[in-house]
Each structure stands twice: as C-alpha cells, then as structure tokens.
Amino acid sequence: MSIPIFSFIFAMWILIIIGGGLMVVFIGPLSFSGYGNFDPLINSGVKVLIAMILIFIWVVALLKIKNWIFRKTTTQ
Amino acid sequence: MEQLIIPAIIAITVAFFSVYGLTPFVIRALEKRNITVVDANKKEKTMVARPGGLSIIIGIELSLIILYIFFPISEILAVLLTTFFAFIVGLIDDKKTMGGWFKPLALAFCAAPILLLGAYDSNLAFPLFGTVQIPLLYMALVVFMIPIMGNTINSIDVLNGVASGFITIASFALSICLFILQNYEIGIVSLCLAFSSLAFYKYHKFPSKVFPGDSGAITFGVFYGGIAIIGGVEVIAAIAILPAIINSFLFLSSVKKIVEHRQIKNPTSHTDDWKLQSTSENHAPITLVRLLIAKKPLSEKQIGYEIFKLAIFSGILAIITSFMMGVTI
C-alpha cells in the first residue's frame, strides 16, 4: 500500500510547485490604482478571490488524483 | 556563522536534556494521580500516562529563552509566546474535551504574537517561480496556518511514537532546508524542536510510557508552524509534513466536516493476533493509517515505521525544494 501513498505525496509535491507558479504568475503582477484609499483593499480583495479559485482548483485536482491512485487498492 | 555555534549547542542541549530528564518525572506524577488512559492498541489492558506535554513545553520554552538571550529578535519572542499559548489551548482540551471548532478558533488567536510583533515577511516564496507579495492575504494565512499545523500534527497522534517521531524527522528536514537557505538563526530554532521531539520520542516510542496528549501534539505542530512563518519557509514546511497533510485531507474529504477526533468512528479494528486492520464500517473516515493497512493488517510498530518512511520521503522532497528556491525560471 505504501507505493500509492508515495505516488500521492509526489503528486502533491508537483501540484504545490505548479500551484505556486500559478500564484506568482497570476497574483504577483496584479496591481490596481485610481481608487484612492481603496487601492490596497481592492488589490487584496482581487488577490484573495484569485487565490481562492486557485485553491479550489488545486483541491479538486488533488481529489481526482487521490481517487485515481487509490481506486485500485480500495476496490481490492 | 561561527558566533552562532555556541548558542546553538547550548540551546539544543537544553532542549534535548530538559525533555529527556523531565519526562520521567512527569510520567511518575501523572501515574501517581491516576491521570492515565488505556492504550487501545495493546492486547493486555495497559494504562499510559497522558498528557506529557508539560515536559515538551518546558524544554522548548527554555531553549527559546536561551536563544532569545543570545539573539534578541522578535521572531524568536513571537514563536516562544505563540507556542506557549498553543500549549495552554491543548492543555484545556486535555482536561475537558471541547467541540470540534474550539481548537481551530482558540489556536487562531495564538497567532496574535506573530502578527503583533510583525515577525513575518509577507512575501510568499515558491520554488522556481520566485515570490509573490500578499500583505493582507499573508496575515490571513498566518491566522489559518497556526491552527492547521497544530491540528495536523495532533491528528496523526494515533499510534505509539508516531507524532513525536514524525515531527522529529520533519523538523530535522526543515532545519536542513533553513541552513541551505542560509537562515541560520531560525535553523537553530528548528533544531531545538527536532531535539526536544527526539528526546520525547524516547518515552513515546512503541511501547509508549507516555502520550503527548493534545497539549504535546499541538505544541509540536504550532511550534513547527511558527518556525515556518518566521523563517519564511511556509511552502517547504508544508512539503516536509505532506503525510500528515494527506491524513487530514483524506479525513476531511471523507467526513466532510470539522469534528473532534475522539468523536469519530475508529477506522481500524484488531485481528486475532492483535494487528491493525481496516474496518469494514462504511461510515468510518479514511485516514493515512487505514490506507496503510488496506491491503494487509500490520502491527502498530510496523505502521509507525511505514509512516516514518513517508516522512523521510517528504523530508527529502522538502530539501530538494529548498535547493529549487534559489533557481528561477
């Protein structure tokens, strides 16, 4: 049973690296201006929204990978 | 670098020997007062002292105080206070089982010293791609990370020696990562955790003489999370404890709500030769242990070693990641 778990850990590691890359690519360069005092709030709000969407996609991907890796073992 | 060696040796020695020396006294004091629990995975009814968190927190706090005397930086003070508050939360939970939401909420407040002392860098560093600056979002991350780390380590405290052995491996890996990233002071702080958990493992390993309890396991987890934040190695720290994160992930994705772990159905049962096997109960949660014994029953000791192998694998991935931090594509 250990090998599927090692595979799952490895898959999570890859997903973390890709997810981190997406965070840097999408969230990093974001900057809104022209709203006066609300600029930091709007910047953070949009970043939070994008981060939440990315985390949701990350969790869904992880669930799919988990089911794919463990399906064989759990049905045995 | 040279000036760090003596404080490091003193702090590490205090961390190790205070836990190593104090734990037998804590065990005797608990046994004398009948503060023991049944070890559920032993054939003969065995009573084990619980919680042993007191010796852990004394060892950790003493070593941190020594380090703070040598390096009076807010990061060490912040993690010292956060870990102490987390210990209190764990101790309350040891004395009186609280609801599923008590610990996450109470531990979120424990993150206050890190935020108030500004002991964090709001740049979140990722391997290969560089950093992203998220000032407000990072503050929320700190508030979430402390309870998550505390509960993640607490949730793998299910078998003899697993929590302390696991955090020993993870914190040694994290120390190596911090040294690779040339963050020496925080690397030494991480070594204090590694040596204090190693000392506790001596008494917690199979067959356990003491259980850390919520106070001990949460202290380990929150201290580890605090190091990740003050060291700016959040991603690396998460990678080093991936088996524990998987355990929480599998649990939450099967139970679909936050509950106190003592309130759930046991995902394992015993064979005639007292090995652990996966339960046939459909509504029992999926956990890391249940996956490890899905194919064939294993003894408690064998499962512990399987978890340690996973921890070493994650630790190696964390070290590879720390080398990747210096590379940008």
Side-chain angles (χ1 to χ4, degrees):
Chain A
M1 187 59 214
S2 286
I3 290 169
I5 303 174
F6 279 109
S7 312
F8 190 46
I9 289 174
F10 189 74
M12 275 184 96
W13 182 58
I14 298 292
L15 272 180
I16 287 172
I17 291 171
I18 295 170
L22 291 173
M23 283 269 284
V24 175
V25 169
F26 287 115
I27 294 179
L30 269 184
S31 180
F32 294 96
S33 57
Y35 300 96
N37 291 337
F38 293 104
D39 282 351
L41 204 66
I42 290 169
N43 277 324
S44 294
V46 174
K47 285 180 179 182
V48 167
L49 190 70
I50 296 172
M52 298 280 269
I53 293 167
L54 286 174
I55 290 167
F56 179 76
I57 295 168
W58 193 85
V59 170
V60 170
L62 204 59
L63 280 170
K64 297 274 180 204
I65 292 169
K66 180 204 85 176
N67 293 339
W68 181 67
I69 290 176
F70 295 118
R71 187 173 293 141
K72 272 186 186 174
T73 320
T74 47
T75 51
Q76 273 172 2
Chain B
M1 175 70 183
E2 288 78 21
Q3 72 273 18
L4 301 177
I5 293 172
I6 291 172
I9 292 171
I10 296 171
I12 289 165
T13 307
V14 167
F16 182 85
F17 284 103
S18 53
V19 176
Y20 191 87
L22 273 173
T23 306
F25 290 102
V26 171
I27 294 170
R28 275 199 290 276
L30 290 169
E31 284 175 345
K32 207 173 166 184
R33 290 165 179 77
N34 266 336
I35 307 174
T36 55
V37 290
V38 176
D39 188 343
N41 295 312
K42 298 289 179 295
K43 198 169 185 177
E44 295 81 27
K45 191 183 175 190
T46 311
M47 301 305 287
V48 178
R50 180 183 184 274
L54 186 65
S55 62
I56 296 170
I57 193 68
I58 291 174
I60 286 172
E61 294 293 307
L62 281 177
S63 61
L64 286 177
I65 289 167
I66 288 166
L67 279 182
Y68 187 66
I69 291 166
F70 282 104
F71 320 121
I73 52 176
S74 60
E75 284 84 353
I76 294 176
L77 183 62
V79 83
L80 186 154
L81 293 171
T82 295
T83 309
F84 181 73
F85 294 149
F87 166 75
I88 301 293
V89 171
L91 200 62
I92 292 169
D93 205 46
D94 277 327
K95 293 281 173 200
K96 191 173 185 289
T97 302
M98 309 301 278
W101 280 101
F102 167 75
K103 267 185 289 183
L105 280 177
L107 289 174
F109 283 102
C110 296
I114 295 175
L115 293 173
L116 294 174
L117 291 168
Y120 62 91
D121 177 5
S122 59
N123 288 324
L124 194 58
F126 288 99
L128 301 177
F129 295 93
T131 58
V132 58
Q133 217 200 5
I134 44 168
L136 286 178
L137 189 57
Y138 192 87
M139 288 170 79
L141 186 78
V142 172
V143 173
F144 277 107
M145 197 161 165
I146 292 298
I148 287 173
M149 287 292 190
N151 277 310
T152 299
I153 299 305
N154 195 27
S155 67
I156 59 155
D157 181 29
V158 287
L159 298 172
N160 286 194
V162 168
S164 56
F166 182 86
I167 203 74
T168 302
I169 296 167
S171 49
F172 270 117
L174 188 64
S175 307
I176 294 168
C177 296
L178 284 159
F179 288 124
I180 290 168
L181 296 168
Q182 298 180 351
N183 195 343
Y184 299 115
E185 285 92 347
I186 311 302
I188 296 166
V189 173
S190 182
L191 277 179
C192 291
L193 171 60
F195 278 93
S196 54
S197 53
L198 180 67
F200 191 78
Y201 178 73
K202 158 86 174 68
Y203 306 98
H204 187 213
K205 70 180 180 186
F206 182 90
S208 291
K209 295 181 182 72
V210 64
F211 291 149
D214 287 346
S215 56
I218 287 175
T219 299
F220 280 144
V222 167
F223 188 21
Y224 183 85
I227 292 166
I229 293 165
I230 63 169
V233 285
E234 306 82 358
V235 176
I236 292 172
I239 291 168
I241 59 159
L242 274 181
I245 292 174
I246 285 174
N247 183 51
S248 297
F249 177 76
L250 291 170
F251 179 85
L252 285 173
S253 64
S254 58
V255 174
K256 294 185 173 66
K257 61 180 178 179
I258 293 176
V259 288
E260 165 61 32
H261 64 94
R262 280 167 286 213
Q263 295 169 351
I264 56 151
K265 283 179 182 164
N266 194 343
T268 61
S269 59
H270 294 103
T271 59
D272 292 338
D273 56 351
W274 217 250
K275 284 183 175 176
L276 286 157
Q277 63 182 358
S278 181
T279 181
S280 53
E281 178 74 58
N282 283 336
H283 297 292
I286 299 168
T287 62
L288 185 63
V289 171
R290 195 176 174 192
L291 278 182
L292 284 167
I293 54 175
K295 230 175 187 177
K296 62 170 186 175
L298 294 173
S299 69
E300 189 179 9
K301 202 174 179 179
Q302 285 172 319
I303 299 168
Y305 287 141
E306 288 298 318
I307 293 174
F308 294 159
K309 280 184 210 167
L310 296 171
I312 291 168
F313 179 65
S314 303
I316 292 168
L317 290 180
I319 292 167
I320 294 170
T321 310
S322 65
F323 280 113
M324 288 159 69
M325 285 291 184
V327 184
T328 310
I329 56 172

